[in-house]
């Protein structure tokens, strides 16, 4: 096991300093309700972890859900928005 001295790293896909934001991409299969719930739970944790490990001025998360090629139920996007819009701005690639 590699000892890191308690230093955990967080690397978002992009940091946009001019907008004080970090960008994450969720390329998860969410074709079932179980998969959707796991994705939402994972992204909540990922966003909160990221906010705690980035400089304080980088405090806005933009989360991009890449849903291309999936058969996603119509109400799944609204479930994501309901669960995550208080901690991130959301985009959907369909």
């Amino acid at each position: 096991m590699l000892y890191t001295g308690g230093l955990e790293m967080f690397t978002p896909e992009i940091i946009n300093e001019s907008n004080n934001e970090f960008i994450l991409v969720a390329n998860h299969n969410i074709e079932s309700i179980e998969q959707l719930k796991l994705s939402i739970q994972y992204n909540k944790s990922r966003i909160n972890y990221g906010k705690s490990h980035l400089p304080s001025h980088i405090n806005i998360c933009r989360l991009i859900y890449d849903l291309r090629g999936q058969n996603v139920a119509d109400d799944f996007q609204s479930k994501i928005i309901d669960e995550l819009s208080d901690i991130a701005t959301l985009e959907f690639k369909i």
Side-chain angles (χ1 to χ4, degrees):
M1 176 192 275
L2 178 64
Y3 176 69
T4 62
L7 298 175
E8 294 84 18
M9 292 189 60
F10 176 78
T11 306
E13 279 73 28
I14 301 169
I15 292 179
N16 183 340
E17 293 230 23
S18 64
N19 290 343
N20 297 329
E21 72 177 354
F22 62 102
I23 300 170
L24 301 174
V25 175
N27 192 2
H28 302 159
N29 182 333
I30 59 166
E31 292 180 301
S32 74
I33 191 68
E34 295 81 19
Q35 292 167 319
L36 175 67
K37 288 178 182 178
L38 287 172
S39 177
I40 290 170
Q41 180 182 3
Y42 172 79
N43 281 309
K44 278 184 182 179
S45 296
R46 187 177 183 207
I47 292 164
N48 289 324
Y49 182 83
K51 285 182 177 182
S52 72
H53 284 80
L54 291 170
S56 61
H57 70 283
I58 307 294
N59 55 10
I60 300 167
C61 176
R62 182 171 12 145
L63 177 60
I64 302 169
Y65 260 88
D66 186 350
L67 304 177
R68 294 174 288 189
Q70 295 187 56
N71 185 19
V72 177
D74 293 336
D75 65 330
F76 279 17
Q77 282 188 34
S78 62
K79 289 182 189 308
I80 293 169
I81 292 167
D82 290 345
E83 292 287 331
L84 297 175
S85 64
D86 61 330
I87 60 173
T89 58
L90 300 164
E91 290 180 30
F92 297 93
K93 301 293 182 189
I94 301 174

